[in-house]
Amino acid sequence: MIEKFTDTESGKIYYWISEKWQENRQSLFFLHGMTGDHTMFISQYEYFKDKYNILLWDAPAHGKSRPFKEFDYEKAAISIKTIFDTEDIDNAVFIGQSMGGFITQAVIKRYPKIVSAFVSIDSTPYGNKYYSKSDIFWLKQIEWMAHLYPLKSMKRAIAKQNTATKAGYDNMLSMLIPYKKNELCHLMGIGYAAFIKDNCDLNITCPVLLIVGAKDNTGKVKAYNQLWSEKTGFTLILVEGAAHNSNVDQPNMVNEYIEKFISLE
């Protein structure tokens, strides 16, 4: 992979693209979840690198794309459009895990033509009809609640909550290493607060696949996805032996689901 970055007023955003980019190949853009980075998709990169053009990034305020001022989903979407314009990418299949699914929907909201298809991995939908007043209230409490935990305990709890395998746990813990307590708590707080601000009723017209770990007990992710599938007709797949980071817990199964979905489009 070739490492690159784009400069913004809020900070540098790093991304990685295939060394041998081929114009006649379909492109896959992998977007990691909150407090993660591009390394959560190493297994996907190894599986797909010889068949597709691959684009990975560290989202604003995450991984190498730090420091970054005032993260929000509009800035994330604009940054992606800038990257696509810079690299002369017309469109890609967006594969977004958790927050990466939020960012994908933020892009669809503003630049729908660059998203040829959407694979949501343990994410949740844009749409006011999905979230109760209670849901919104608790999302707003994340930052101060996170401050109640000692840093090491919080990182271990996040890693344990999001994964069902040792490989998943180790990967999540490694992605959390760079964060100090204030930064980590604030990142989680603004990540959800920014989602509340950007959320809207969204009509997604591109093909969509919903993937959720059967052991995903993060919030109400499974319930949201079941309702998302019922309201839209999007196919929902539950991945056995996987929690919230299902593409890391069970990479082989998830890779096969993604490849089958792409081949049908």
Side-chain angles (χ1 to χ4, degrees):
M1 298 290 282
I2 301 173
E3 180 183 293
K4 298 189 176 186
F5 67 86
T6 182
D7 253 324
T8 76
E9 293 181 356
S10 300
K12 291 182 179 180
I13 299 175
Y14 283 82
Y15 62 96
W16 292 259
I17 65 171
S18 299
E19 291 184 13
K20 296 180 181 179
W21 194 276
Q22 299 182 26
E23 291 186 6
N24 61 333
R25 274 186 173 179
Q26 193 167 39
S27 301
L28 309 183
F29 182 20
F30 292 93
L31 302 93
H32 62 79
M34 194 178 300
T35 73
D37 62 40
H38 71 284
T39 63
M40 81 171 328
F41 289 113
I42 293 301
S43 294
Q44 282 67 52
Y45 168 72
E46 292 297 332
Y47 185 85
F48 289 109
K49 66 180 181 179
D50 295 326
K51 305 173 187 178
Y52 300 92
N53 295 325
I54 305 296
L55 174 64
L56 305 167
W57 82 336
D58 281 356
H62 291 73
K64 198 166 183 178
S65 301
R66 300 164 37 247
F68 190 90
K69 298 177 182 177
E70 300 175 355
F71 168 86
D72 64 34
Y73 291 99
E74 182 175 27
K75 286 183 180 180
I78 292 171
S79 299
I80 289 171
K81 183 62 165 61
T82 300
I83 292 169
F84 274 48
D85 289 344
T86 300
E87 301 297 337
D88 198 26
I89 303 171
D90 291 330
N91 58 70
V93 176
F94 280 56
I95 302 165
Q97 191 273 340
S98 194
M99 182 193 74
F102 298 164
I103 294 175
T104 297
Q105 291 170 90
V107 172
I108 292 171
K109 176 178 176 178
R110 296 166 174 87
Y111 313 108
K113 291 183 180 179
I114 72 172
V115 184
S116 60
F118 172 28
V119 179
S120 169
I121 301 176
D122 299 288
S123 189
T124 60
Y126 266 39
N128 294 311
K129 57 185 171 290
Y130 294 103
Y131 305 97
S132 67
K133 290 182 179 180
S134 174
D135 294 337
I136 300 301
F137 171 81
W138 286 112
L139 288 176
K140 291 179 178 179
Q141 312 308 311
I142 296 295
E143 184 167 355
W144 74 263
M145 290 173 63
H147 273 285
L148 300 176
Y149 289 83
L151 181 59
K152 287 185 179 180
S153 297
M154 179 167 58
K155 288 182 177 181
R156 290 170 183 159
I158 291 171
K160 185 176 181 179
Q161 173 66 32
N162 284 286
T163 64
T165 64
K166 185 178 186 302
Y169 179 86
D170 291 344
N171 172 256
M172 188 71 244
L173 208 57
S174 71
M175 293 188 293
L176 291 166
I177 287 174
Y179 299 104
K180 294 182 179 179
K181 186 172 182 179
N182 285 343
E183 182 184 17
L184 184 58
C185 294
H186 184 58
L187 181 58
M188 292 189 291
I190 62 171
Y192 288 114
F195 168 72
I196 295 168
K197 178 182 176 182
D198 202 57
N199 186 36
C200 65
D201 292 326
L202 186 64
N203 181 31
I204 303 177
T205 58
C206 69
V208 178
L209 175 65
L210 309 179
I211 296 176
V212 179
K215 295 183 177 181
D216 190 339
N217 295 317
T218 300
K220 297 164 63 176
V221 170
K222 277 196 292 188
Y224 288 140
N225 274 269
Q226 289 166 353
L227 189 58
W228 195 2
S229 177
E230 289 171 8
K231 287 185 175 295
T232 61
F234 299 153
T235 298
L236 170 61
I237 294 174
L238 294 179
V239 182
E240 295 300 324
H244 191 62
N245 295 8
S246 59
N247 62 294
V248 188
D249 277 337
Q250 298 296 338
N252 294 335
M253 280 192 281
V254 171
N255 291 344
E256 289 175 7
Y257 292 136
I258 292 171
E259 186 166 44
K260 183 177 179 181
F261 170 71
I262 294 171
S263 68
L264 296 174
E265 304 310 323

